[in-house]
Amino acid sequence: MSGKNCILVIEDEVSIRNFISSSLTANGYKVVTAKDGQQGLVMISSYRPDVVLLDLGLPDMDGMHIIQSVREWSLVPIIVVSANGMQADKVKALDLGADDYVTKPFGTEELLARIRGALRHWQTRKDTGMSELGTFKSGDLMIDFDKRRVTVRGEIIHLTQNEYKIVAILSKYSGRVMTYDYIIKEIWGPYAKGDNQILRVNMANIRRKIEDNPADPQYIITEVGVGYRMCEDK
Amino acid sequence: MSGKNCILVIEDEVSIRNFISSSLTANGYKVVTAKDGQQGLVMISSYRPDVVLLDLGLPDMDGMHIIQSVREWSLVPIIVVSANGMQADKVKALDLGADDYVTKPFGTEELLARIRGALRHWQTRKDTGMSELGTFKSGDLMIDFDKRRVTVRGEIIHLTQNEYKIVAILSKYSGRVMTYDYIIKEIWGPYAKGDNQILRVNMANIRRKIEDNPADPQYIITEVGVGYRMCEDK
DNA sequence: TTGAAATATTAACATTATTTTAACAATAAA
DNA sequence: TTTATTGTTAAAATAATGTTAATATTTCAA
């Protein structure tokens, strides 16, 4: 990795901007900031940051609009910063092409983890021309996409077609939240009914098969109101 | 190696039969004898010896015919005993599937060496299977791609053209799920009808031939909705 | 060439696996 | 607490696969 990774922080509140800025700088990132959407869009195109941290609650411009604009010409990872409880916003942001989100209030560790995740994904997408290798691994869980085989501690786990598809989607984008809607459309097609009951049943079955304690899942985490997230390898 | 190895001696001359029999018994082998071809064939199928010692000059039946008959259903090592000078016979016997030969007169040491060799080959073929390029092995199942020969526990399994192709495809990519579509296109060409009925019938026939319990297959596993998978060697 | 044997294909039905629905329990958010 | 969301279970409905037998088709030897 040559040089520091550059993070653009788009955030109107000075205190939060400073907090993020110093946290990231202290951890070896180069940081640039923008105090509103207008300035943010300009800086994305001029600075070409490696990651964008975007507060959804900006004064001058709807955050969704920024995501949309950027996605018209760039795939730079966008991590959305949203106020707690605004679940609908998270879903919408992810749908529009945001890569991940953190909820206020958040700690440095969480923020750094998300940024690392975004950078890693971005890197592999650039390196391998997507198609992230033939296997996924997280803890004792292993997925061999070539063989279409899932193992936990070496034991072969049998998954049905839909179960496998769900796990495959989640692990392909591990570390990122995949919205219910996205997963459902991916498996049952665009005309599937909006309800996520089937997905819930499938998830229960998957967890029964891959988790030590399905009531306290370690691999697939629920993000209430948003979707599921596969943990990245530790 | 549990218990003694069993050697079947097919030989019409009493003196030679007794000589061989006592030599082998003295060296820890279990020996059964047959005095003609007819009796020999019966004993191979009933006693399942580990090695067959076959005199080519039998009164009732051409030795070549015995080799041929046995090779239709078993790979048990056959050591041919031939009169000196019958070079053409040796070649023909080996072509038909004999494993080795000794020429009369022979000594105990030579005979024992040949038997040990045959047992060793047989054992490694059974144990490590593969090792030799061009073969596949999983459990008791062995496939010799060069000879186009499939055996289960040493017994030769006759597969039809299509059955063999299916097994060959699956074992070539063992451990990986091969989709119905791929297999069908591979065998019946790109314009085969999409239905997999034929494949299902073929699979039923294959399993009846190679599986201990076709209702609970150990070698070829079905991945519902996807395809079939040949188990990797255990 | 013919006819028996082997093989391939088709069709009908049995069996099994998966998906979906529904009712309710547990948990998290407001 | 109250409500919304998610988890869980079991039964019903659906779909996929296995199995058998009858019917073509091919192969091969006389």
Side-chain angles (χ1 to χ4, degrees):
Chain A
M1 207 157 288
S2 59
K4 299 177 178 180
N5 282 113
C6 177
I7 320 277
L8 169 63
V9 180
I10 309 178
E11 167 68 65
D12 57 323
E13 281 187 52
V14 184
S15 59
I16 300 182
R17 207 163 65 219
N18 286 342
F19 162 68
I20 296 176
S21 192
S22 53
S23 299
L24 297 184
T25 307
N27 279 277
Y29 293 105
K30 190 179 161 210
V31 179
V32 291
T33 62
K35 66 176 189 301
D36 56 39
Q38 195 64 53
Q39 203 181 348
L41 280 174
V42 171
M43 294 185 89
I44 291 177
S45 59
S46 54
Y47 276 90
R48 302 299 176 94
D50 300 301
V51 174
V52 174
L53 219 61
L54 170 66
D55 188 346
L56 283 182
L58 296 175
D60 69 325
M61 196 184 278
D62 184 10
M64 303 301 171
H65 183 244
I66 297 180
I67 297 173
Q68 225 165 2
S69 308
V70 172
R71 277 290 171 269
E72 279 167 16
W73 62 275
S74 168
L75 285 176
V76 59
I78 299 175
I79 299 174
V80 156
V81 179
S82 75
N84 199 350
M86 308 297 276
Q87 292 182 351
D89 278 1
K90 295 175 193 167
V91 173
K92 194 173 171 198
L94 291 171
D95 277 348
L96 287 175
D99 293 75
D100 205 349
Y101 68 81
V102 286
T103 304
K104 293 182 194 172
F106 52 84
T108 308
E109 276 317 311
E110 186 181 357
L111 184 61
L112 289 171
R114 298 267 172 271
I115 289 175
R116 279 194 301 269
L119 284 169
R120 186 162 46 240
H121 278 115
W122 184 234
Q123 206 50 46
T124 48
R125 242 190 294 177
K126 278 205 295 198
D127 287 354
T128 66
M130 56 160 255
S131 120
E132 308 193 4
L133 252 38
T135 65
F136 168 82
K137 183 173 165 296
S138 176
D140 289 329
L141 175 71
M142 261 178 78
I143 302 166
D144 185 325
F145 295 109
D146 294 328
K147 292 182 176 171
R148 191 194 177 283
R149 175 170 277 174
V150 178
T151 53
V152 173
R153 267 183 242 93
E155 289 229 356
I156 293 173
I157 305 295
H158 167 82
L159 296 182
T160 71
Q161 248 201 109
N162 287 345
E163 289 165 4
Y164 180 80
K165 280 185 195 165
I166 293 169
V167 170
I169 291 169
L170 292 177
S171 45
K172 185 173 162 199
Y173 299 103
S174 70
R176 273 172 59 175
V177 185
M178 306 310 288
T179 63
Y180 299 126
D181 202 51
Y182 178 87
I183 301 172
I184 289 171
K185 284 203 166 57
E186 197 72 18
I187 293 175
W188 286 276
Y191 307 117
K193 64 176 181 178
D195 183 19
N196 62 7
Q197 161 71 15
I198 297 183
L199 188 50
R200 271 154 42 212
V201 173
N202 271 275
M203 189 52 68
N205 291 330
I206 292 171
R207 283 176 172 152
R208 183 173 323 127
K209 292 178 181 178
I210 70 172
E211 299 278 0
D212 273 338
N213 175 15
D216 175 28
Q218 301 301 301
Y219 296 116
I220 300 178
I221 306 301
T222 301
E223 299 280 351
V224 176
V226 186
Y228 294 108
R229 185 203 301 269
M230 170 72 80
C231 281
E232 292 184 274
D233 192 13
K234 280 142 279 185
Chain B
M1 208 156 292
S2 57
K4 298 176 178 182
N5 282 113
C6 176
I7 320 278
L8 169 64
V9 180
I10 308 177
E11 167 68 62
D12 57 323
E13 281 186 52
V14 183
S15 59
I16 302 182
R17 207 163 65 220
N18 286 343
F19 161 66
I20 296 177
S21 191
S22 54
S23 299
L24 297 184
T25 306
N27 278 276
Y29 294 106
K30 189 177 161 219
V31 179
V32 290
T33 60
K35 66 178 191 299
D36 57 40
Q38 195 63 54
Q39 205 181 345
L41 281 174
V42 171
M43 295 185 88
I44 291 176
S45 60
S46 54
Y47 277 90
R48 300 302 174 91
D50 299 301
V51 174
V52 174
L53 220 60
L54 171 67
D55 187 346
L56 283 183
L58 295 175
D60 69 326
M61 197 184 276
D62 184 9
M64 301 302 172
H65 183 244
I66 297 180
I67 297 173
Q68 223 165 3
S69 306
V70 171
R71 277 293 172 266
E72 277 167 17
W73 63 276
S74 170
L75 284 176
V76 59
I78 299 175
I79 301 175
V80 155
V81 179
S82 74
N84 198 353
M86 308 296 278
Q87 198 66 31
D89 277 1
K90 294 178 195 166
V91 175
K92 193 176 172 200
L94 292 174
D95 273 352
L96 287 174
D99 292 74
D100 203 351
Y101 66 84
V102 286
T103 304
K104 292 182 197 174
F106 52 83
T108 308
E109 275 318 309
E110 185 181 358
L111 184 60
L112 288 171
R114 299 259 183 252
I115 289 174
R116 277 194 301 270
L119 285 169
R120 188 163 48 240
H121 274 121
W122 184 233
Q123 207 49 48
T124 48
R125 248 192 290 177
K126 280 208 290 197
D127 288 354
T128 66
M130 34 146 263
S131 65
E132 301 160 48
L133 216 58
T135 70
F136 168 81
K137 177 177 170 294
S138 176
D140 289 329
L141 174 72
M142 261 167 68
I143 300 163
D144 185 325
F145 296 111
D146 296 326
K147 294 182 178 162
R148 193 197 171 286
R149 183 174 272 173
V150 177
T151 54
V152 173
R153 267 184 243 91
E155 294 217 2
I156 291 174
I157 304 296
H158 168 80
L159 296 181
T160 71
Q161 207 65 21
N162 287 345
E163 288 165 5
Y164 178 78
K165 278 187 197 165
I166 293 169
V167 169
I169 291 169
L170 292 178
S171 46
K172 185 174 162 196
Y173 299 102
S174 70
R176 169 180 321 211
V177 181
M178 305 309 287
T179 63
Y180 300 126
D181 203 51
Y182 177 87
I183 302 172
I184 289 171
K185 285 203 165 58
E186 197 71 17
I187 293 175
W188 286 276
Y191 306 116
K193 64 175 179 177
D195 183 19
N196 61 9
Q197 162 72 17
I198 297 185
L199 189 50
R200 269 153 45 212
V201 174
N202 272 275
M203 188 52 68
N205 291 330
I206 292 171
R207 282 177 172 151
R208 185 172 320 128
K209 292 178 182 180
I210 70 171
E211 299 277 1
D212 273 338
N213 175 14
D216 175 28
Q218 302 301 301
Y219 296 116
I220 301 178
I221 306 300
T222 301
E223 296 282 349
V224 176
V226 188
Y228 294 108
R229 182 207 306 270
M230 170 72 79
C231 278
E232 293 170 285
D233 193 15
K234 280 145 279 184

